Amino acid sequence: MMPFQRKKINYHRLKEIVQLLAKYKFDNLVGELELKGSRWGDLLYKYDSDVDLDATAPERLRLVFEELGPTFIKLGQMMSTRPDLVGPRMAKEFTRLQDDTLPVDFDTVKMIVEGELGKPLNELFHSFEEEHLAAASIGQVHRAVLKDGTKVAVKVQRPGIQDTVEKDLVIMHHLANLINKKIPSLRILNLPQVVDEFDKSIHKEMDYGLEARNTLNFQANFAHDEGVRAPKVFPDYSTSLVLTMEFIQGTKMSQVMEDPQGFDTKLLAERVAKSYFQQLLLDGFFHADPHPGNLYVLEDNVLCYIDFGMMGHIDHDFMQNLGELFVQVIDYRVDAIINQLIYMGIITDSVDRIMLKRDIMDILDRYYGASLSDIHLGHILSDLAIPLITKYQARVPPEFTLIARAVTMIEEVAFTLDGQFDATAQFRPMVKKVLMQKFTPKNLADLLTDNLFEIEHLLKNLPQNINRLLAKMEDGEIKVRYSEELSEDIERTSNKLVVAIIIAALLLGSSWIIQIDKGPMILDLPVLGFLGFAASGVLGVGLILYILRNKKI
């Protein structure tokens, strides 16, 4: 696909956008962009607005997005999840976006399904309801029955939606870069980054093949949990534009929250929170939009997630760091929180720690001593993210704010179901499990294996680096004042370095051995590998004790 910079702007669509900006009194914005005199900029000065001038800018922008249709509605919905980028007021306003897209007529739906699946509708399905079950900006859902009697829901993508999105994305990228360049006061919104993220997310959402794979991956992660499930996918009846899934016959979580009679709400609250913390802390693959409409309650209080178009993915290191941060936040360990943020690369070591510590304490004090129902981890994480971005120019990963929003949704569901619900009781055991996994022989072996080439390069270049250092000392570029005390320090340091290299060699060799899985075993590990880890552990502990005893580190 050609990059957006090289694509031509659709000026007819751009004219429509300019007219709507003028209608809702954003003509000053386009004026600052110096568009007057262009083939479409002059339109601003010919349009009479009848919109209330007292309306707030976020509200007016929401109305613009609603009139511009699917792509801009989706952009606004994404912006509602990023208060760290667009600010709390803008994000809150965009949660009110209404998607009132008209449904696609059945003849068009029939043509798309038959074209994608390669057979007439009556040969594919026993029945296919003409009336849509649900309609949204990207696609709509119809109820159907397969030839074997299985009830299914068929999601069909709107015709032409991809072309519409592509044209709008070109304009979005153009305007975002223009605003960022011409209007310094709006750079804090970081609109180019917002549009870049949206570009990626909407392409994923339009790929029904990816959604099918996401659903299957989710099912695999919960295969051994009878209390959590997802709809079955029918690959033979699915393509990138048509997705056929099991029809879920249950009760929406939003309805259960309103009328919980007949449901085990304590059990449901536990399943909601536990399943989500598992996704974040153990699987690294999580539902990015777990609002109550995407959760169903089936028979026997089984929890069912639906709509896997938007999923988040985090690596093992991020999962471990996130779990540690969760515990530090709940335990009110401010210094540990700062160190963790530095370790995660969110803030730099040069940050004003005193000021940051004061700001974090102000945030945590709002929740300190509160009842369980008032302590929401998601809210705390969101409250932390916004000042980090605006005040300390932190590099907060998009996943962080996405997780904060999602955890907030999950906690609100759980606390509504059970007013005495304790979220910490659900994630603490998982964090403990994640942290314990850090130090298992297999993880240490994997760590060494992953960094094997770096270790080899370091050892290989060590003699050359030492020679360079000595040459600089001989040339007078580095001056060293010799003393008996310095000589002793060098000797002690050399001895510790030798021990450290021996430990690394033992760990490296043992890590290779345990991969073999042959010969005598101890605790399911080869004897030689076990002895190697044990020896390196003893040497390592001895080295640490020596350093601590002599207060040298």
Side-chain angles (χ1 to χ4, degrees), residues 493-507 539-540 543:
T493 301
S494 300
N495 291 337
K496 285 184 280 188
L497 180 61
V498 169
V499 175
I501 291 173
I502 293 172
I503 293 171
L506 281 170
L507 283 172
L539 286 171
L543 180 60

Side-chain angles (χ1 to χ4, degrees), residues 11-179:
Y11 282 97
H12 177 76
R13 176 62 166 164
L14 194 49
K15 181 189 297 185
E16 182 183 355
I17 293 171
V18 170
Q19 288 176 325
L20 281 171
L21 287 171
K23 175 181 177 181
Y24 288 101
K25 288 298 179 184
F26 284 105
D27 42 329
N28 60 328
L29 170 66
V30 186
E32 288 190 58
L33 295 179
E34 300 176 2
L35 298 174
K36 184 173 170 63
S38 69
R39 73 173 95 172
W40 46 277
D42 282 342
L43 289 168
L44 288 174
Y45 306 93
K46 301 175 183 176
Y47 199 98
D48 294 325
S49 172
D50 57 358
V51 176
D52 182 7
L53 297 180
D54 294 327
T56 64
E59 181 182 3
R60 286 183 282 127
L61 191 56
R62 171 179 63 81
L63 294 172
V64 171
F65 279 20
E66 284 182 351
E67 289 202 38
L68 285 174
T71 317
F72 284 84
I73 289 173
K74 285 291 181 184
L75 174 63
Q77 289 172 343
M78 192 214 78
M79 291 169 71
S80 73
T81 71
R82 299 301 307 271
D84 56 306
L85 292 180
V86 301
R89 286 179 58 223
M90 188 80 76
K92 184 177 180 181
E93 182 62 38
F94 281 143
T95 61
R96 299 176 56 200
L97 274 167
Q98 300 295 316
D99 189 355
D100 295 327
T101 312
L102 293 174
V104 178
D105 64 90
F106 179 70
D107 288 339
T108 303
V109 169
K110 182 173 180 288
M111 181 182 66
I112 294 172
V113 174
E114 291 180 342
E116 287 294 305
L117 301 184
K119 290 182 180 179
L121 210 60
N122 58 6
E123 291 184 19
L124 293 163
F125 300 93
H126 178 268
S127 63
F128 195 105
E129 293 188 6
E130 294 189 14
E131 186 66 27
H132 66 278
L133 193 64
S137 52
I138 302 296
Q140 65 187 48
V141 179
H142 288 256
R143 190 155 40 188
V145 179
L146 298 179
K147 290 292 187 178
D148 63 2
T150 304
K151 294 180 180 179
V152 294
V154 184
K155 185 190 287 191
V156 183
Q157 192 167 119
R158 288 179 169 276
I161 187 64
Q162 294 196 25
D163 184 54
T164 299
V165 167
E166 293 298 337
K167 289 176 181 177
D168 283 347
L169 283 172
V170 174
I171 297 172
M172 285 179 181
H173 281 293
H174 177 72
L175 291 179
N177 289 321
L178 203 59
I179 290 171

